[in-house]
Structure formats: structure tokens, C-alpha cells
Amino acid sequence: MNLNFADGRVRLMGILNVTPDSFSDGGENFAPGDAIASARRMIADGADIIDIGAESTRPYGGAAPVDVKTEIARLAPVLPKVIEFGVPVSIDTMKAEVAEYALDQGAMIINDVWGLQRDPGMAKLAARLNVPIIAMHNRKEAQDGIDIMTDMHAFFARTFEIAQAAGLAREKLILDPGIGFGKTFEQNLIVLKNMDQLKRYGLPVLVGASRKVFIGKISGAEPQQRGPGTIAAHFEAVKRGATILRVHNVAEMRQALSVVEAINNA
Ligand code: HH2
């Protein structure tokens, strides 16, 4: 699958959390029937990719880690049905074993919120099956006072080294600054403001600011009410080179993008 979109159009990735505890929509799509219906709706609303995850990454703490068996058991009644819809599916997991199961079912992209740096099997799996892999910047904990962009470039340098050692072509990587992961409130804003620095790598850039806590902190809005803030953050990210947006509400983001495109094409 080629994700280096030559047409310059921004792609939308719809979030499908088959979890009881995700930070903004935990439980909403935990029942398989609800998850399948949500995927169908997101595709009708214009999703280009569906990102399915069965373990909350809990960027804001309170993680309830699940084992491989549980994660696969949550995916099993949903993933094959979503794949049947014919839209590319990415698997949001921290475990190579789960990623392998999903790719086997027909998923086409791996989404690794640890940028190949947690499970050593991830880079090897992506290399062996020659699939694109989203490498997200992450840190065990936020640290005040560091230069977050320097930290991110050092992180991606390590990711590139791991990819090379595993025989994974650099062109298979999609970079993601990891909004909300291991960053202070200010650092999230700095990252979004300086996102154009990621253009230097010549790789697709994905951003996932949807409903994240920094929007709540600015606006006072609860997760479900963070749509306008999500659109604003993603608009600024697109201006600075993002080509894939990971969102909960596909319809809203699609409408916003179509207006931006219409203005730019006038
Ligand atoms: N954010 C979340 C999960 N996975 N993957 C990428 N590549 N980028 C992100 O920004 C990202 C991600 C967190 O959001 P959500 O899926 O809504 O919550 P949870 O992890 O609690 O299920």
C-alpha cells in the first residue's frame, strides 16, 4: 500500500476503539455490533482508513493493560467484518503478535504508539510483510524544561536505526508527533506549532489531536464536546504538512476539510 499520497489530499483515519476504557469514547464500541456499525458510518462519512484498537493506550494514565489473548479476542468478532468493507484498516497495538494476527486477517497498516521502540518484533514484522507502519513519538513520562522538538528528532533517529537494522525500508514509515503522549500541555502546543520540522524526513505525517486533553484544558470542554478544538488543531497541522488525520468524528472533519480544499482550489 502506498501512503505517500502524490495528489496532496489529506486522508482521514477513523478511530475504532474496541475497548471498555478509551479516554474519550470508552465502551461506545466495545460491543461488536456497535463497533461494526461505527465503522460503516465512518466509511460513509468519508474515512479513508479505519484504525482499530483493542487496548487503550491511556495517554492520560489509568492504563489497564490487556494480554495478547484478550486483545485478539476483542478484535476477532469485529476486524474481519470491518476489512470486508473494503477500506484500508490499520491495527493500533503495542504488540507485534496482535499486529501479526490483524495483518493476517487483512489489515494493511501497523500503528505503533511506541515508534518501533517497545516491542522489538514490530520492525521485523513490518519488514517481513513489507507493510507501512506508523511510528509515533512517545515518552514514558512528560518532562518539563526539555526541548520537545529535539527530543522528537532524537526519537525518530532511533526509530530509523531500528528500521534499518530490521531490514524495513524507510519509505514504509509514517511519522506521528504523538499529541498527548509524554508531553506537557505547552509541549503539545509547541509540537503542533513546529510540525513543519517533520517535513525534513520526506515521509507522510499523521496527526491525532482528536478530543485530546490539551483541547479540554484550553476550552473547558468534555471529550465529546471537543469537536471544534479538534478541527482547529488539525487545520493548523495540515497547514504545516500533516497528510493523515486520526479522528473520532469523521463527518465533522470531512466537512471542514472540504471547505479548506474548496477555498484553496478557487
Ligand atoms: N492516540 C491515541 C491512540 N492511538 N495512534 C497514533 N498513531 N496517534 C495518536 O495520536 C494516537 C494513537 C489515543 O486516542 P484514543 O484511541 O481515542 O484513546 P485510547 O488510546 O484511550 O483508546
Side-chain angles (χ1 to χ4, degrees), residues 13 15 17 19 21-25 51 55-59 92 111-113 134-136 176 178-179 181 206-210 212 246 248:
M13 170 183 267
I15 302 170
N17 288 322
T19 54
D21 57 346
S22 288
F23 83 93
S24 82
D25 59 358
D51 187 44
E55 176 180 30
S56 170
T57 57
R58 297 304 301 204
D92 185 356
N111 178 13
D112 180 4
V113 298
I134 299 157
M136 197 193 80
D176 180 341
I179 303 301
F181 288 87
L206 181 151
V207 169
S210 194
K212 291 213 165 137
R246 184 179 181 277
H248 297 89

Side-chain angles (χ1 to χ4, degrees), residues 169-187:
R170 187 186 157 98
E171 296 70 44
K172 289 289 169 193
L173 294 170
I174 298 157
L175 303 182
D176 180 341
I179 303 301
F181 288 87
K183 297 173 185 71
T184 64
F185 168 73
E186 286 79 13
Q187 286 168 353

